[in-house]
Amino acid sequence: MEWQDDGIVLSAQRFGEHDAIVEAMTPSHGRARGFVKAGMSRRSKASLQPGNTLRLVWRSRLEHNLGRFQLELVHSPLGSIISDGRRMAALAAVCAVVSSTMPERERHLSVFNALSGFVAMLEAEDGGAGLWAAALARIELGILSELGYGLDLETCVATGSTKELVYVSPKSGRAVSAAAGEPYKDRLLPLPFFLVSGSGQLPDCEGALAGLRLTGYFLEQNVWVVAGKGQPDARERLYESLARNQ
């Protein structure tokens, strides 16, 4: 069994003294894992940093075995972002989110494209921490949809209205208008405007945090709790950093 694909590194963990288990998100083979001989050697370790794009060849005698990677570095964004702790934190968070939510060996091209665009945005230093956090919330919204837990943020679940959508029902994952939600607002989740299709609004830091709280709630309920892992530490650190500095 063999395939070739490009992939963005999500993680690399030491295996034995010098080898590594590498996890990457690929456009055609989804989240993939493989053994890399001498992956933790000084020569190879730099290529296996999260966010790097690799050209991968995966081989295994059986399709469901771990398999072995041969790899070649295509591009690394780290030269542009490694001196900026905020961008490194955002990169760690997005890689951890994709790693903790995407099923292995299932093709999810839209998630790969979103991850690739996020890394490129960090490399270009397009915006600040609030904008990057908002972009992460959008990626998480897409992940929920890909996994079958998509939120309906276009119409009010109670009235069918498309106006003044300011809440989300924690039970149905559907939007609720200001009027319909008023009696129950203490039990509803705030809906930041930038997540509503066609809003055209650029999020501030407070809005970005609200977006991460919203998507994080549904990921926790539907994905992380089921997997028994909880929210990734890197995502929590990014959120807490934003909350402290807003």
Side-chain angles (χ1 to χ4, degrees), residues 19-77:
D19 304 327
I21 303 296
V22 174
E23 181 181 45
M25 189 65 187
T26 70
S28 299
H29 297 86
R31 183 173 66 87
R33 298 170 68 247
F35 170 82
V36 178
K37 183 68 175 176
M40 288 298 168
S41 67
R42 182 178 298 178
R43 180 178 179 181
S44 299
K45 191 174 181 179
S47 297
L48 303 182
Q49 298 303 305
N52 285 357
T53 298
L54 306 177
R55 186 151 293 128
L56 301 169
V57 178
W58 182 90
R59 293 189 178 94
S60 175
R61 284 200 311 153
L62 299 174
E63 181 179 359
H64 296 291
N65 284 0
L66 175 63
R68 182 168 180 163
F69 277 141
Q70 289 183 326
L71 50 87
E72 174 187 351
L73 180 64
V74 174
H75 177 71
S76 176

Side-chain angles (χ1 to χ4, degrees), residues 6-184:
D6 286 350
I8 297 173
V9 177
L10 301 176
S11 68
Q13 297 181 339
R14 185 179 294 275
F15 185 78
E17 188 173 355
H18 300 295
D19 304 327
I21 303 296
V22 174
E23 181 181 45
M25 189 65 187
T26 70
S28 299
H29 297 86
R31 183 173 66 87
R33 298 170 68 247
F35 170 82
V36 178
K37 183 68 175 176
M40 288 298 168
S41 67
R42 182 178 298 178
R43 180 178 179 181
S44 299
K45 191 174 181 179
S47 297
L48 303 182
Q49 298 303 305
N52 285 357
T53 298
L54 306 177
R55 186 151 293 128
L56 301 169
V57 178
W58 182 90
R59 293 189 178 94
S60 175
R61 284 200 311 153
L62 299 174
E63 181 179 359
H64 296 291
N65 284 0
L66 175 63
R68 182 168 180 163
F69 277 141
Q70 289 183 326
L71 50 87
E72 174 187 351
L73 180 64
V74 174
H75 177 71
S76 176
L78 298 185
S80 300
I81 72 174
I82 198 166
S83 61
D84 187 337
R86 300 171 309 152
R87 287 193 281 172
M88 290 297 292
L91 178 63
V94 73
C95 288
V97 166
V98 173
S99 173
S100 66
T101 56
M102 287 289 91
E104 193 174 353
R105 307 185 189 199
E106 288 187 14
R107 185 175 185 266
H108 291 278
L109 181 58
S110 64
V111 176
F112 173 83
N113 288 338
L115 174 61
S116 179
F118 190 95
V119 174
M121 181 180 66
L122 291 177
E123 191 174 11
E125 199 173 4
D126 184 6
L131 189 60
W132 303 330
L136 177 58
R138 289 193 181 99
I139 290 175
E140 292 178 346
L141 199 64
I143 286 172
L144 285 164
S145 181
E146 286 285 305
L147 297 178
Y149 305 112
L151 308 184
D152 180 356
L153 307 180
E154 305 300 318
T155 58
C156 174
V157 64
T159 66
S161 172
T162 60
K163 297 180 180 180
E164 295 188 316
L165 303 177
V166 297
Y167 303 113
V168 178
S169 165
K171 291 184 178 181
S172 67
R174 297 186 63 183
V176 182
S177 68
E182 179 62 26
Y184 317 102

